[in-house]
Short mmCIF file of all heavy atoms in Angstrom, two decimals:
data_model
loop_
_atom_site.label_atom_id
_atom_site.label_comp_id
_atom_site.label_asym_id
_atom_site.label_seq_id
_atom_site.Cartn_x
_atom_site.Cartn_y
_atom_site.Cartn_z
N THR A 22 -7.14 0.08 -2.01
CA THR A 22 -7.07 -1.13 -1.20
C THR A 22 -7.22 -0.73 0.27
O THR A 22 -6.95 0.41 0.64
CB THR A 22 -5.75 -1.90 -1.41
OG1 THR A 22 -5.81 -3.13 -0.69
CG2 THR A 22 -4.55 -1.12 -0.93
N GLU A 23 -7.67 -1.67 1.06
CA GLU A 23 -7.75 -1.45 2.50
C GLU A 23 -6.81 -2.43 3.18
O GLU A 23 -6.85 -3.62 2.90
CB GLU A 23 -9.18 -1.62 3.00
CG GLU A 23 -10.08 -0.51 2.50
CD GLU A 23 -11.47 -0.52 3.10
OE1 GLU A 23 -11.67 -1.18 4.14
OE2 GLU A 23 -12.34 0.14 2.52
N GLU A 24 -5.96 -1.90 4.02
CA GLU A 24 -4.98 -2.69 4.75
C GLU A 24 -5.19 -2.49 6.25
O GLU A 24 -6.05 -1.73 6.66
CB GLU A 24 -3.54 -2.28 4.35
CG GLU A 24 -3.24 -2.43 2.86
CD GLU A 24 -3.15 -3.87 2.40
OE1 GLU A 24 -2.87 -4.76 3.24
OE2 GLU A 24 -3.34 -4.11 1.20
N ILE A 25 -4.38 -3.15 7.04
CA ILE A 25 -4.52 -3.08 8.50
C ILE A 25 -3.16 -2.82 9.15
O ILE A 25 -2.18 -3.48 8.82
CB ILE A 25 -5.07 -4.41 9.06
CG1 ILE A 25 -6.45 -4.72 8.50
CG2 ILE A 25 -5.06 -4.43 10.58
CD1 ILE A 25 -7.56 -3.86 9.06
N PHE A 26 -3.10 -1.85 10.04
CA PHE A 26 -1.96 -1.70 10.95
C PHE A 26 -2.34 -2.46 12.22
O PHE A 26 -3.44 -2.29 12.74
CB PHE A 26 -1.73 -0.23 11.34
CG PHE A 26 -0.90 0.54 10.37
CD1 PHE A 26 -1.51 1.38 9.46
CD2 PHE A 26 0.47 0.43 10.38
CE1 PHE A 26 -0.76 2.11 8.57
CE2 PHE A 26 1.24 1.17 9.49
CZ PHE A 26 0.62 2.00 8.59
N SER A 27 -1.45 -3.29 12.70
CA SER A 27 -1.67 -3.98 13.97
C SER A 27 -0.88 -3.22 15.03
O SER A 27 0.35 -3.16 14.98
CB SER A 27 -1.19 -5.43 13.87
OG SER A 27 -1.37 -6.07 15.11
N ILE A 28 -1.59 -2.63 15.98
CA ILE A 28 -0.95 -1.84 17.04
C ILE A 28 -1.10 -2.59 18.36
O ILE A 28 -2.20 -3.01 18.72
CB ILE A 28 -1.56 -0.43 17.13
CG1 ILE A 28 -1.41 0.27 15.77
CG2 ILE A 28 -0.90 0.37 18.24
CD1 ILE A 28 -2.02 1.64 15.72
N GLN A 29 0.02 -2.75 19.05
CA GLN A 29 0.04 -3.54 20.29
C GLN A 29 0.50 -2.67 21.46
O GLN A 29 1.47 -1.94 21.34
CB GLN A 29 1.01 -4.71 20.15
CG GLN A 29 0.75 -5.58 18.97
CD GLN A 29 1.82 -6.65 18.81
OE1 GLN A 29 2.53 -6.97 19.75
NE2 GLN A 29 1.92 -7.19 17.62
N ASN A 30 -0.17 -2.82 22.56
CA ASN A 30 0.23 -2.14 23.80
C ASN A 30 0.47 -3.23 24.86
O ASN A 30 -0.21 -3.29 25.86
CB ASN A 30 -0.87 -1.17 24.26
CG ASN A 30 -0.43 -0.34 25.44
OD1 ASN A 30 0.75 -0.17 25.70
ND2 ASN A 30 -1.41 0.19 26.16
N VAL A 31 1.43 -4.09 24.57
CA VAL A 31 1.65 -5.26 25.44
C VAL A 31 3.05 -5.33 26.02
O VAL A 31 3.36 -6.25 26.77
CB VAL A 31 1.34 -6.58 24.68
CG1 VAL A 31 -0.13 -6.63 24.30
CG2 VAL A 31 2.21 -6.73 23.45
N LEU A 32 3.90 -4.38 25.69
CA LEU A 32 5.25 -4.41 26.23
C LEU A 32 5.24 -3.86 27.66
O LEU A 32 4.52 -2.94 27.98
CB LEU A 32 6.19 -3.57 25.35
CG LEU A 32 6.26 -4.01 23.88
CD1 LEU A 32 7.08 -3.01 23.09
CD2 LEU A 32 6.84 -5.40 23.76
N GLU A 33 6.04 -4.45 28.53
CA GLU A 33 6.08 -4.02 29.94
C GLU A 33 7.07 -2.89 30.14
O GLU A 33 8.11 -2.87 29.49
CB GLU A 33 6.47 -5.21 30.83
CG GLU A 33 5.41 -6.28 30.90
CD GLU A 33 4.11 -5.82 31.52
OE1 GLU A 33 4.12 -4.90 32.35
OE2 GLU A 33 3.07 -6.37 31.17
N PRO A 34 6.87 -1.96 31.02
CA PRO A 34 5.62 -1.76 31.75
C PRO A 34 4.62 -1.07 30.85
O PRO A 34 5.00 -0.25 30.03
CB PRO A 34 6.03 -0.88 32.91
CG PRO A 34 7.18 -0.08 32.39
CD PRO A 34 7.89 -0.98 31.40
N THR A 35 3.37 -1.39 31.00
CA THR A 35 2.37 -0.82 30.11
C THR A 35 1.20 -0.24 30.89
O THR A 35 0.91 -0.66 32.00
CB THR A 35 1.88 -1.90 29.11
OG1 THR A 35 1.00 -1.30 28.18
CG2 THR A 35 1.18 -3.04 29.80
N GLU A 36 0.57 0.73 30.30
CA GLU A 36 -0.65 1.33 30.84
C GLU A 36 -1.47 1.79 29.65
O GLU A 36 -1.02 1.71 28.51
CB GLU A 36 -0.33 2.50 31.77
CG GLU A 36 0.40 3.63 31.08
CD GLU A 36 0.81 4.73 32.03
OE1 GLU A 36 1.31 4.44 33.13
OE2 GLU A 36 0.62 5.90 31.66
N GLU A 37 -2.68 2.25 29.91
CA GLU A 37 -3.52 2.74 28.82
C GLU A 37 -2.80 3.87 28.10
O GLU A 37 -2.11 4.69 28.71
CB GLU A 37 -4.86 3.24 29.37
CG GLU A 37 -5.81 3.68 28.28
CD GLU A 37 -7.16 4.07 28.83
OE1 GLU A 37 -7.60 3.48 29.83
OE2 GLU A 37 -7.76 5.00 28.26
N ILE A 38 -2.95 3.91 26.77
CA ILE A 38 -2.25 4.93 25.99
C ILE A 38 -3.16 5.42 24.86
O ILE A 38 -3.97 4.67 24.32
CB ILE A 38 -0.92 4.36 25.42
CG1 ILE A 38 -0.13 5.45 24.70
CG2 ILE A 38 -1.17 3.20 24.51
CD1 ILE A 38 1.28 5.00 24.31
N THR A 39 -3.02 6.68 24.54
CA THR A 39 -3.69 7.26 23.38
C THR A 39 -2.61 7.63 22.38
O THR A 39 -1.69 8.38 22.71
CB THR A 39 -4.51 8.51 23.76
OG1 THR A 39 -5.50 8.12 24.72
CG2 THR A 39 -5.19 9.12 22.55
N LEU A 40 -2.73 7.08 21.17
CA LEU A 40 -1.73 7.35 20.13
C LEU A 40 -2.28 8.32 19.10
O LEU A 40 -3.47 8.27 18.75
CB LEU A 40 -1.33 6.06 19.41
CG LEU A 40 -0.63 5.00 20.24
CD1 LEU A 40 -0.36 3.77 19.41
CD2 LEU A 40 0.68 5.55 20.79
N GLN A 41 -1.41 9.16 18.60
CA GLN A 41 -1.74 10.06 17.50
C GLN A 41 -0.99 9.57 16.27
O GLN A 41 0.22 9.33 16.34
CB GLN A 41 -1.34 11.51 17.84
CG GLN A 41 -1.70 12.51 16.79
CD GLN A 41 -3.20 12.63 16.61
OE1 GLN A 41 -3.96 12.66 17.57
NE2 GLN A 41 -3.65 12.68 15.37
N ILE A 42 -1.70 9.39 15.16
CA ILE A 42 -1.09 8.94 13.91
C ILE A 42 -0.92 10.16 13.00
O ILE A 42 -1.87 10.89 12.74
CB ILE A 42 -1.97 7.89 13.20
CG1 ILE A 42 -2.20 6.69 14.12
CG2 ILE A 42 -1.33 7.46 11.89
CD1 ILE A 42 -3.22 5.69 13.60
N THR A 43 0.30 10.36 12.52
CA THR A 43 0.61 11.47 11.63
C THR A 43 1.25 10.93 10.36
O THR A 43 2.27 10.24 10.43
CB THR A 43 1.59 12.47 12.30
OG1 THR A 43 1.05 12.87 13.55
CG2 THR A 43 1.84 13.67 11.42
N VAL A 44 0.66 11.23 9.21
CA VAL A 44 1.26 10.83 7.93
C VAL A 44 2.26 11.92 7.55
O VAL A 44 1.89 13.06 7.29
CB VAL A 44 0.19 10.66 6.83
CG1 VAL A 44 0.83 10.25 5.50
CG2 VAL A 44 -0.86 9.64 7.26
N GLU A 45 3.55 11.56 7.58
CA GLU A 45 4.59 12.53 7.29
C GLU A 45 4.87 12.66 5.80
O GLU A 45 5.31 13.70 5.34
CB GLU A 45 5.88 12.15 8.02
CG GLU A 45 5.77 12.24 9.52
CD GLU A 45 7.08 11.96 10.22
OE1 GLU A 45 7.91 11.22 9.68
OE2 GLU A 45 7.26 12.50 11.32
N ASN A 46 4.68 11.58 5.08
CA ASN A 46 4.91 11.58 3.63
C ASN A 46 3.93 10.62 2.98
O ASN A 46 3.80 9.49 3.43
CB ASN A 46 6.35 11.15 3.32
CG ASN A 46 6.73 11.38 1.88
OD1 ASN A 46 6.45 12.43 1.33
ND2 ASN A 46 7.33 10.39 1.25
#
Side-chain angles (χ1 to χ4, degrees):
T22 186
E23 291 188 17
E24 302 290 336
I25 298 287
F26 275 100
S27 178
I28 302 178
Q29 306 175 20
N30 187 21
V31 296
L32 302 173
E33 291 297 332
T35 185
E36 62 185 44
E37 184 176 326
I38 184 171
T39 299
L40 296 177
Q41 183 64 43
I42 302 171
T43 306
V44 180
E45 294 184 332
N46 191 45

